[in-house]
Amino acid sequence: MKPPIICFSFLLLAHPASPLVDGSWHSKKHLRSVTGKRNVLLIIVDDLRTSLGCYGDDIIKSPNIDQLASHSILFTNAYAQQAVCAPSRVSFLTGRRPETTRLFDFNSYWRKHAGNYSTLPQYFKEHGYVTMSVGKIFHPGISSNHSDDYPYSWSVKPYHPSSEKYENTKTCKGKDGELHANLVCPVDLSEVPEGTLPDIQSTEEAIRLLNLVKQQNSSFFLAVGYHKPHIPFRFPKEFLKLYPIENISLAPDPAIPRNLPSVAYNPWADIRNREDVQALNISFPYGPIPEHFQRLMRQSYFASVSYLDSLVGQLLTAVEILGFSKDTIIAFAADHGWSLGEHGEWAKYSNFDVVTRVPLMFYVPGVTSRSHPQQNIFTYIDPLNADPKRNIPGNVKDDPVELVSLFSTIADLAQLPPLPECPFPSFHIETCTEGQSLSPYLTTSKGRRGNDESIAYSSYPRPSDTPQWNSDLPHLRDITIMGYSMRTTGFRYTAWVAYNPITFEANFTNIHAQELYFVKTDPNQDNNFFNTSIHSHLLIKLLGNLKI
Ligand SMILES: *[C@@H]1O[C@H](CO)[C@@H](O)[C@H](O)[C@H]1NC(C)=O
Ligand SMILES: *[C@@H]1O[C@H](CO)[C@@H](O)[C@H](O)[C@H]1NC(C)=O
Ligand SMILES: *[C@@H]1O[C@H](CO)[C@@H](O)[C@H](O)[C@H]1NC(C)=O
Ligand SMILES: *[C@@H]1O[C@H](CO)[C@@H](O)[C@H](O)[C@H]1NC(C)=O
Ligand SMILES: *[C@@H]1O[C@H](CO)[C@@H](O)[C@H](O)[C@H]1NC(C)=O
Ligand SMILES: *[C@@H]1O[C@H](CO)[C@@H](O)[C@H](O)[C@H]1NC(C)=O
Ligand SMILES: *[C@@H]1O[C@H](CO)[C@@H](O)[C@H](O)[C@H]1NC(C)=O
């Protein structure tokens, strides 16, 4: 079967002229020291909530990711530590919480601003792996020193697709036939600049690198960062046919709950900036967005996910053809989720499950897969023509777990020396982790040490109690309130408390709002059940467990 987008001549094709790697790549010592180790393919998706077939979503067509899930251990309750790109990525790539990276916005580099923490790829590089970054792994810009933390984290200069520069330009054909910088942007590939899209280029580059490491016969850590379904929804328009607009429903709870504390609400400022949304003249901060446009956004998000799925399928097919499914760990995660109209909200920027919850799965050769070792594990499934019969995930874990555990988990699965647990505080320590390896879940039903309850923590900053233009993403200096949140099996509790961005201190006697949602009776979190006279112990529980 021929995948529609990528030309497979890339497979098994050498690029001899490419000045690909720095000196450490060629070091014999490095290559020899890692003989027989498992490689790592880390796939990070931008803004992907758990809208996937393998997470029980029966609208989304994601057959390739579902296939990966069927051979993986899958966590249904994995949560990001902050629901926005740079803080979340710096957190899971360093294995430290935002409280320790001190990155709550996009405007500092942890090595300078907090501590000289090692990173997940750096740890593999130091253990003799060739480490490579394709697309968006670190958030670009100040938060990774404009270099994706190269050379500390990577053996090779990180790759960014050339067509990325058109993402926010006028490339979306409007009803008037003119080009616009729209939010909803299905495109004809033959008409876009360079005739391609960033994630297609990243997939091609990742496949090229896999071919190269195959020839070099060296252990690798390859991180591939996909941009979609991040806005703008710029994707090949053929994926729309999977989601006829008349079949698209609104969120199950599209109204803003009456007892939602205003500090908890994010006004989705980034969505409002696009030309097609501006034309709707939506009132700030609460909207609403016209229903037909809500449906368009949901449709485009879903289509972007199927487009992503097609690319992941092509990447995994290359993994299979090159023989890497036998010795390569595949970790799949997103930086955080996304609201699609749930409780009247859009985008990320809050503490609700819908934006903190992420897909998280690990494929470990010979361990997680149910397939016979001689069988092919990954074959391309065209999402545009997929059999509606679903791949059921193999091994599902429901405990709340945290993205900050990604570092120690992958290190553990690759049998690198275990990372020491960070003392508190740990600003002066380069290599330690605040996460907890999830690898015990592979062998036991419960992965936690002893009888500890599983809790996932997240936090989100705000400049004020009521929504302002900068409420989604305040600069550090403008933060006055921090929302500390904990998700257990049974509930999510959040305390919004006064915060000093100069001393980085929270004042837990100055409480602005508290929220409590019960998972069983209110899974969408529309009914804040917090009552001071009954639930005051929750703050004590939060403080007792969270080191801040
Ligand atoms: C920070 O860590 C990097 C990588 O381990 C190291 O090369 C560098 O010397 C360290 N910088 C400082 C100031 O300690
Ligand atoms: C950040 O990048 C600048 C410019 O390339 C460089 O001079 C500086 O050393 C880098 N910072 C760290 C901590 O490596
Ligand atoms: C790859 O390296 C390993 C370990 O050095 C060696 O046993 C194997 O034969 C090599 N394979 C190829 C194709 O060179
Ligand atoms: C759209 O809805 C109709 C009516 O429920 C159904 O028959 C059809 O299969 C749906 N199409 C898709 C692509 O889901
Ligand atoms: C936009 O909406 C405001 C009220 O929400 C109204 O006063 C204004 O006239 C509207 N502008 C346009 C161009 O429709
Ligand atoms: C914390 O907040 C309380 C209540 O508003 C206030 O009395 C106290 O001074 C604050 N503490 C600090 C260190 O700001
Ligand atoms: C909070 O709980 C107390 C004690 O059960 C009850 O009397 C009170 O009505 C509750 N308050 C609200 C707002 O539900």
Side-chain angles (χ1 to χ4, degrees):
M1 188 182 317
K2 199 173 151 62
I5 295 167
I6 287 184
C7 165
F8 257 62
S9 60
F10 273 96
L11 280 176
L12 312 167
L13 215 164
H15 278 244
S18 171
L20 191 68
V21 286
D22 69 17
S24 65
W25 163 278
H26 296 288
S27 151
K28 284 258 158 54
K29 185 178 117 269
H30 277 157
L31 298 191
R32 221 178 294 126
S33 68
V34 294
T35 303
K37 289 220 172 132
R38 285 171 180 156
N39 303 309
V40 177
L41 171 63
L42 170 63
I43 300 172
I44 300 292
V45 187
D46 209 356
D47 291 16
L48 178 64
R49 59 195 240 157
T50 54
S51 291
L52 293 169
C54 52
Y55 278 84
D57 191 308
D58 48 20
I59 294 165
I60 302 294
K61 314 282 189 298
S62 53
N64 294 287
I65 298 169
D66 299 349
Q67 177 179 252
L68 172 64
S70 74
H71 297 290
S72 299
I73 181 170
L74 176 141
F75 292 88
T76 59
N77 272 306
Y79 294 92
Q81 275 48 73
Q82 190 181 326
V84 71
C85 299
S88 175
R89 287 167 189 256
V90 167
S91 168
F92 68 71
L93 289 165
T94 61
R96 321 253 180 150
R97 298 180 190 282
E99 287 70 33
T100 309
T101 65
R102 294 190 159 172
L103 183 70
F104 299 104
D105 59 12
F106 284 55
N107 303 316
S108 61
Y109 180 39
W110 76 92
R111 290 187 191 274
K112 238 177 89 183
H113 170 78
N116 195 26
Y117 313 142
S118 340
T119 70
L120 164 61
Q122 180 186 344
Y123 197 60
F124 277 82
K125 190 176 174 224
E126 287 167 359
H127 285 87
Y129 282 70
V130 175
T131 61
M132 301 167 285
S133 170
V134 170
K136 184 171 169 184
I137 296 299
F138 281 98
H139 189 84
I142 300 173
S143 64
S144 56
N145 205 27
H146 302 281
S147 66
D148 297 310
D149 197 43
Y150 177 79
Y152 305 119
S153 287
W154 309 108
S155 321
V156 186
K157 224 179 178 137
Y159 169 85
H160 291 281
S162 60
S163 66
E164 204 182 321
K165 58 179 171 290
Y166 306 111
E167 279 290 278
N168 295 307
T169 61
K170 294 178 189 267
T171 56
C172 323
K173 202 174 254 171
K175 282 204 192 92
D176 56 4
E178 303 286 312
L179 295 178
H180 297 276
N182 283 346
L183 183 80
V184 171
C185 186
V187 296
D188 185 332
L189 274 187
S190 66
E191 291 176 356
V192 295
E194 296 185 26
T196 189
L197 292 172
D199 288 335
I200 297 174
Q201 289 187 291
S202 290
T203 308
E204 289 169 347
E205 175 65 8
I207 293 173
R208 189 179 77 81
L209 291 170
L210 286 172
N211 277 282
L212 211 64
V213 284
K214 184 72 185 177
Q215 289 176 358
Q216 305 264 356
N217 192 23
S218 48
S219 294
F220 66 86
F221 177 105
L222 171 62
V224 183
Y226 284 106
H227 290 272
K228 290 308 110 178
H230 193 290
I231 61 168
F233 301 120
R234 190 165 169 263
F235 57 93
K237 64 178 190 214
E238 53 268 32
F239 288 94
L240 282 174
K241 82 163 200 216
L242 293 174
Y243 306 100
I245 193 77
E246 61 275 15
N247 286 30
I248 303 292
S249 59
L250 300 181
D253 53 344
I256 294 160
R258 248 180 301 128
N259 55 2
L260 177 80
S262 60
V263 70
Y265 178 83
N266 68 279
W268 29 278
D270 56 348
I271 286 180
R272 297 166 190 269
N273 291 334
R274 312 278 157 162
E275 282 183 46
D276 48 351
V277 183
Q278 271 178 1
L280 299 170
N281 192 25
I282 294 165
S283 107
F284 186 88
Y286 291 111
I289 297 176
E291 283 191 8
H292 82 275
F293 201 80
Q294 295 192 34
R295 287 182 216 278
L296 270 182
M297 283 199 277
R298 289 172 64 87
Q299 178 194 37
S300 295
Y301 186 94
F302 301 158
S304 299
V305 173
S306 293
Y307 161 55
L308 161 80
D309 182 77
S310 151
L311 296 174
V312 169
Q314 291 167 56
L315 178 60
L316 295 181
T317 306
V319 165
E320 185 66 52
I321 291 173
L322 291 166
F324 286 134
S325 65
K326 292 175 182 58
D327 60 9
T328 302
I329 294 161
I330 303 172
F332 181 99
D335 54 356
H336 47 73
W338 222 76
S339 302
L340 282 165
E342 286 83 6
H343 22 79
E345 293 186 277
W346 296 86
K348 43 239 185 183
Y349 316 121
S350 80
N351 272 323
F352 287 104
D353 274 14
V354 70
V355 302
T356 49
R357 189 169 170 225
V358 291
L360 179 65
M361 61 188 95
F362 301 93
Y363 163 77
V364 187
V367 179
T368 56
S369 179
R370 290 175 299 185
S371 283
H372 189 270
Q374 302 312 322
Q375 270 175 345
N376 274 359
I377 304 222
F378 305 115
T379 52
Y380 183 75
I381 310 167
D382 183 355
L384 293 169
N385 292 300
D387 181 342
K389 196 171 84 325
R390 293 188 177 283
N391 266 309
I392 307 295
N395 187 355
V396 174
K397 300 293 175 194
D398 296 326
D399 274 7
V401 299
E402 304 179 295
L403 218 41
V404 70
S405 298
L406 196 66
F407 186 164
S408 43
T409 302
I410 297 178
D412 233 14
L413 295 176
Q415 292 161 2
L416 263 47
L419 280 155
E421 206 175 311
C422 290
F424 179 76
S426 65
F427 296 108
H428 57 293
I429 296 175
E430 285 191 19
T431 308
C432 68
T433 185
E434 295 177 72
Q436 201 174 77
S437 171
L438 303 176
S439 67
Y441 280 103
L442 287 173
T443 47
T444 59
S445 63
K446 226 169 151 63
R448 295 273 149 172
R449 287 185 214 104
N451 294 320
D452 284 1
E453 183 187 12
S454 299
I455 302 178
Y457 296 96
S458 303
S459 37
Y460 212 88
R462 293 278 184 240
S464 58
D465 287 298
T466 53
Q468 313 290 323
W469 276 99
N470 64 342
S471 290
D472 289 341
L473 198 51
H475 285 276
L476 176 63
R477 62 173 179 274
D478 296 327
I479 296 171
T480 62
I481 301 165
M482 191 68 75
Y484 294 99
S485 196
M486 64 176 174
R487 175 64 157 77
T488 69
T489 302
F491 64 84
R492 175 174 289 286
Y493 166 74
T494 304
W496 298 89
V497 306
Y499 190 78
N500 180 336
I502 295 162
T503 59
F504 297 97
E505 277 169 353
N507 184 344
F508 283 90
T509 53
N510 187 348
I511 298 174
H512 288 238
Q514 291 174 86
E515 295 170 84
L516 177 61
Y517 303 101
F518 291 107
V519 173
K520 255 206 192 110
T521 52
D522 182 22
N524 294 329
Q525 304 178 330
D526 291 306
N527 195 1
N528 180 11
F529 231 81
F530 187 81
N531 179 331
T532 314
S533 55
I534 310 175
H535 301 124
S536 58
H537 63 284
L538 291 176
L539 182 64
I540 296 158
K541 185 181 169 86
L542 176 82
L543 284 171
N545 287 294
L546 183 62
K547 288 177 186 151
I548 32 181

mmCIF file of all heavy atoms in Angstrom, residues 166-191:
data_model
loop_
_atom_site.group_PDB
_atom_site.id
_atom_site.type_symbol
_atom_site.label_atom_id
_atom_site.label_comp_id
_atom_site.label_asym_id
_atom_site.label_seq_id
_atom_site.Cartn_x
_atom_site.Cartn_y
_atom_site.Cartn_z
ATOM 1 N N TYR A 166 5.669 29.531 6.983
ATOM 2 C CA TYR A 166 4.401 29.953 6.374
ATOM 3 C C TYR A 166 3.201 29.688 7.277
ATOM 4 O O TYR A 166 2.077 30.032 6.922
ATOM 5 C CB TYR A 166 4.185 29.223 5.045
ATOM 6 C CG TYR A 166 5.349 29.378 4.096
ATOM 7 C CD1 TYR A 166 6.163 28.296 3.776
ATOM 8 C CD2 TYR A 166 5.635 30.624 3.531
ATOM 9 C CE1 TYR A 166 7.246 28.446 2.923
ATOM 10 C CE2 TYR A 166 6.721 30.775 2.675
ATOM 11 C CZ TYR A 166 7.521 29.687 2.379
ATOM 12 O OH TYR A 166 8.584 29.840 1.547
ATOM 13 N N GLU A 167 3.421 29.069 8.423
ATOM 14 C CA GLU A 167 2.286 28.657 9.255
ATOM 15 C C GLU A 167 1.349 29.815 9.589
ATOM 16 O O GLU A 167 0.139 29.640 9.626
ATOM 17 C CB GLU A 167 2.775 28.005 10.553
ATOM 18 C CG GLU A 167 3.167 26.544 10.416
ATOM 19 C CD GLU A 167 1.980 25.619 10.184
ATOM 20 O OE1 GLU A 167 1.308 25.236 11.149
ATOM 21 O OE2 GLU A 167 1.733 25.297 9.005
ATOM 22 N N ASN A 168 1.910 30.973 9.876
ATOM 23 C CA ASN A 168 1.063 32.085 10.295
ATOM 24 C C ASN A 168 0.930 33.163 9.227
ATOM 25 O O ASN A 168 0.531 34.279 9.515
ATOM 26 C CB ASN A 168 1.600 32.668 11.603
ATOM 27 C CG ASN A 168 1.492 31.643 12.719
ATOM 28 O OD1 ASN A 168 0.425 31.086 12.961
ATOM 29 N ND2 ASN A 168 2.600 31.346 13.367
ATOM 30 N N THR A 169 1.269 32.810 7.999
ATOM 31 C CA THR A 169 1.143 33.797 6.924
ATOM 32 C C THR A 169 -0.153 33.540 6.157
ATOM 33 O O THR A 169 -0.887 32.589 6.440
ATOM 34 C CB THR A 169 2.344 33.726 5.969
ATOM 35 O OG1 THR A 169 2.374 32.417 5.384
ATOM 36 C CG2 THR A 169 3.649 33.976 6.704
ATOM 37 N N LYS A 170 -0.396 34.372 5.174
ATOM 38 C CA LYS A 170 -1.648 34.284 4.416
ATOM 39 C C LYS A 170 -1.545 33.164 3.382
ATOM 40 O O LYS A 170 -1.145 33.396 2.240
ATOM 41 C CB LYS A 170 -1.936 35.624 3.737
ATOM 42 C CG LYS A 170 -2.229 36.754 4.721
ATOM 43 C CD LYS A 170 -2.469 38.059 3.979
ATOM 44 C CE LYS A 170 -2.532 39.222 4.932
ATOM 45 N NZ LYS A 170 -3.886 39.554 5.394
ATOM 46 N N THR A 171 -1.871 31.954 3.806
ATOM 47 C CA THR A 171 -1.813 30.817 2.882
ATOM 48 C C THR A 171 -3.142 30.054 2.843
ATOM 49 O O THR A 171 -3.215 28.974 2.276
ATOM 50 C CB THR A 171 -0.700 29.825 3.274
ATOM 51 O OG1 THR A 171 -0.916 29.410 4.621
ATOM 52 C CG2 THR A 171 0.679 30.430 3.144
ATOM 53 N N CYS A 172 -4.173 30.593 3.485
ATOM 54 C CA CYS A 172 -5.443 29.865 3.554
ATOM 55 C C CYS A 172 -6.449 30.533 2.619
ATOM 56 O O CYS A 172 -6.737 31.726 2.771
ATOM 57 C CB CYS A 172 -6.012 29.900 4.965
ATOM 58 S SG CYS A 172 -4.778 29.805 6.272
ATOM 59 N N LYS A 173 -6.959 29.749 1.695
ATOM 60 C CA LYS A 173 -7.908 30.318 0.729
ATOM 61 C C LYS A 173 -9.263 30.544 1.409
ATOM 62 O O LYS A 173 -9.844 29.626 1.973
ATOM 63 C CB LYS A 173 -8.054 29.367 -0.459
ATOM 64 C CG LYS A 173 -8.565 30.077 -1.710
ATOM 65 C CD LYS A 173 -8.568 29.183 -2.928
ATOM 66 C CE LYS A 173 -7.455 29.521 -3.911
ATOM 67 N NZ LYS A 173 -7.340 28.530 -4.983
ATOM 68 N N GLY A 174 -9.736 31.795 1.376
ATOM 69 C CA GLY A 174 -11.032 32.120 1.967
ATOM 70 C C GLY A 174 -12.146 31.977 0.947
ATOM 71 O O GLY A 174 -11.904 31.681 -0.212
ATOM 72 N N LYS A 175 -13.377 32.206 1.414
ATOM 73 C CA LYS A 175 -14.534 32.111 0.509
ATOM 74 C C LYS A 175 -14.443 33.152 -0.605
ATOM 75 O O LYS A 175 -14.979 32.979 -1.686
ATOM 76 C CB LYS A 175 -15.826 32.326 1.314
ATOM 77 C CG LYS A 175 -16.229 31.092 2.108
ATOM 78 C CD LYS A 175 -17.733 31.108 2.399
ATOM 79 C CE LYS A 175 -18.100 30.064 3.430
ATOM 80 N NZ LYS A 175 -18.076 30.593 4.813
ATOM 81 N N ASP A 176 -13.723 34.267 -0.321
ATOM 82 C CA ASP A 176 -13.568 35.332 -1.315
ATOM 83 C C ASP A 176 -12.486 35.010 -2.356
ATOM 84 O O ASP A 176 -12.188 35.827 -3.220
ATOM 85 C CB ASP A 176 -13.222 36.649 -0.600
ATOM 86 C CG ASP A 176 -11.977 36.519 0.285
ATOM 87 O OD1 ASP A 176 -11.344 35.442 0.298
ATOM 88 O OD2 ASP A 176 -11.627 37.490 0.980
ATOM 89 N N GLY A 177 -11.874 33.813 -2.239
ATOM 90 C CA GLY A 177 -10.838 33.433 -3.191
ATOM 91 C C GLY A 177 -9.468 34.024 -2.873
ATOM 92 O O GLY A 177 -8.465 33.653 -3.473
ATOM 93 N N GLU A 178 -9.415 34.930 -1.888
ATOM 94 C CA GLU A 178 -8.138 35.536 -1.494
ATOM 95 C C GLU A 178 -7.454 34.661 -0.431
ATOM 96 O O GLU A 178 -8.093 33.814 0.187
ATOM 97 C CB GLU A 178 -8.387 36.922 -0.880
ATOM 98 C CG GLU A 178 -9.130 37.892 -1.764
ATOM 99 C CD GLU A 178 -8.255 38.417 -2.893
ATOM 100 O OE1 GLU A 178 -7.117 38.824 -2.598
ATOM 101 O OE2 GLU A 178 -8.705 38.392 -4.059
ATOM 102 N N LEU A 179 -6.159 34.936 -0.206
ATOM 103 C CA LEU A 179 -5.430 34.194 0.826
ATOM 104 C C LEU A 179 -5.467 34.961 2.151
ATOM 105 O O LEU A 179 -5.317 36.174 2.176
ATOM 106 C CB LEU A 179 -3.989 33.971 0.384
ATOM 107 C CG LEU A 179 -3.824 33.073 -0.846
ATOM 108 C CD1 LEU A 179 -2.362 32.951 -1.242
ATOM 109 C CD2 LEU A 179 -4.423 31.683 -0.595
ATOM 110 N N HIS A 180 -5.670 34.213 3.246
ATOM 111 C CA HIS A 180 -5.784 34.828 4.560
ATOM 112 C C HIS A 180 -4.938 34.069 5.577
ATOM 113 O O HIS A 180 -4.581 32.918 5.359
ATOM 114 C CB HIS A 180 -7.247 34.794 5.039
ATOM 115 C CG HIS A 180 -8.166 35.580 4.166
ATOM 116 N ND1 HIS A 180 -8.346 36.934 4.306
ATOM 117 C CD2 HIS A 180 -8.941 35.195 3.128
ATOM 118 C CE1 HIS A 180 -9.201 37.360 3.395
ATOM 119 N NE2 HIS A 180 -9.580 36.326 2.658
ATOM 120 N N ALA A 181 -4.654 34.734 6.717
ATOM 121 C CA ALA A 181 -4.023 34.052 7.858
ATOM 122 C C ALA A 181 -5.153 33.602 8.777
ATOM 123 O O ALA A 181 -5.498 34.260 9.748
ATOM 124 C CB ALA A 181 -3.070 34.996 8.575
ATOM 125 N N ASN A 182 -5.747 32.487 8.441
ATOM 126 C CA ASN A 182 -6.930 32.012 9.151
ATOM 127 C C ASN A 182 -6.605 30.983 10.222
ATOM 128 O O ASN A 182 -5.527 30.388 10.216
ATOM 129 C CB ASN A 182 -7.911 31.379 8.153
ATOM 130 C CG ASN A 182 -8.679 32.427 7.353
ATOM 131 O OD1 ASN A 182 -8.666 33.603 7.709
ATOM 132 N ND2 ASN A 182 -9.328 31.987 6.291
ATOM 133 N N LEU A 183 -7.570 30.764 11.089
ATOM 134 C CA LEU A 183 -7.464 29.676 12.066
ATOM 135 C C LEU A 183 -7.786 28.352 11.382
ATOM 136 O O LEU A 183 -7.082 27.355 11.544
ATOM 137 C CB LEU A 183 -8.446 29.918 13.216
ATOM 138 C CG LEU A 183 -8.387 28.889 14.329
ATOM 139 C CD1 LEU A 183 -7.221 29.184 15.244
ATOM 140 C CD2 LEU A 183 -9.680 28.859 15.129
ATOM 141 N N VAL A 184 -8.878 28.343 10.634
ATOM 142 C CA VAL A 184 -9.318 27.135 9.930
ATOM 143 C C VAL A 184 -8.741 27.206 8.527
ATOM 144 O O VAL A 184 -9.060 28.117 7.767
ATOM 145 C CB VAL A 184 -10.859 27.079 9.909
ATOM 146 C CG1 VAL A 184 -11.337 25.970 8.993
ATOM 147 C CG2 VAL A 184 -11.390 26.887 11.325
ATOM 148 N N CYS A 185 -7.860 26.243 8.210
ATOM 149 C CA CYS A 185 -7.036 26.415 7.020
ATOM 150 C C CYS A 185 -6.751 25.099 6.300
ATOM 151 O O CYS A 185 -5.602 24.669 6.214
ATOM 152 C CB CYS A 185 -5.735 27.106 7.435
ATOM 153 S SG CYS A 185 -4.641 27.585 6.108
ATOM 154 N N PRO A 186 -7.793 24.427 5.789
ATOM 155 C CA PRO A 186 -7.512 23.237 4.975
ATOM 156 C C PRO A 186 -6.871 23.681 3.662
ATOM 157 O O PRO A 186 -7.322 24.655 3.069
ATOM 158 C CB PRO A 186 -8.906 22.636 4.725
ATOM 159 C CG PRO A 186 -9.896 23.685 5.083
ATOM 160 C CD PRO A 186 -9.228 24.738 5.900
ATOM 161 N N VAL A 187 -5.800 23.006 3.244
ATOM 162 C CA VAL A 187 -5.076 23.463 2.053
ATOM 163 C C VAL A 187 -4.951 22.363 1.007
ATOM 164 O O VAL A 187 -5.049 21.164 1.304
ATOM 165 C CB VAL A 187 -3.653 23.964 2.409
ATOM 166 C CG1 VAL A 187 -3.719 25.193 3.303
ATOM 167 C CG2 VAL A 187 -2.813 22.857 3.048
ATOM 168 N N ASP A 188 -4.728 22.827 -0.211
ATOM 169 C CA ASP A 188 -4.389 21.947 -1.307
ATOM 170 C C ASP A 188 -2.859 21.954 -1.376
ATOM 171 O O ASP A 188 -2.242 22.996 -1.596
ATOM 172 C CB ASP A 188 -5.010 22.532 -2.586
ATOM 173 C CG ASP A 188 -4.811 21.628 -3.778
ATOM 174 O OD1 ASP A 188 -3.808 20.873 -3.795
ATOM 175 O OD2 ASP A 188 -5.652 21.676 -4.693
ATOM 176 N N LEU A 189 -2.259 20.795 -1.176
ATOM 177 C CA LEU A 189 -0.791 20.746 -1.092
ATOM 178 C C LEU A 189 -0.111 21.313 -2.337
ATOM 179 O O LEU A 189 0.987 21.860 -2.247
ATOM 180 C CB LEU A 189 -0.320 19.305 -0.888
ATOM 181 C CG LEU A 189 -0.267 18.785 0.538
ATOM 182 C CD1 LEU A 189 0.381 17.412 0.556
ATOM 183 C CD2 LEU A 189 0.501 19.746 1.436
ATOM 184 N N SER A 190 -0.753 21.165 -3.486
ATOM 185 C CA SER A 190 -0.109 21.637 -4.707
ATOM 186 C C SER A 190 -0.089 23.165 -4.775
ATOM 187 O O SER A 190 0.610 23.746 -5.587
ATOM 188 C CB SER A 190 -0.831 21.073 -5.931
ATOM 189 O OG SER A 190 -2.135 21.624 -5.986
ATOM 190 N N GLU A 191 -0.851 23.817 -3.882
ATOM 191 C CA GLU A 191 -0.935 25.282 -3.949
ATOM 192 C C GLU A 191 -0.153 25.998 -2.852
ATOM 193 O O GLU A 191 0.032 27.207 -2.925
ATOM 194 C CB GLU A 191 -2.409 25.712 -3.855
ATOM 195 C CG GLU A 191 -3.222 25.326 -5.074
ATOM 196 C CD GLU A 191 -4.693 25.679 -4.931
ATOM 197 O OE1 GLU A 191 -5.106 26.162 -3.852
ATOM 198 O OE2 GLU A 191 -5.429 25.456 -5.915
#
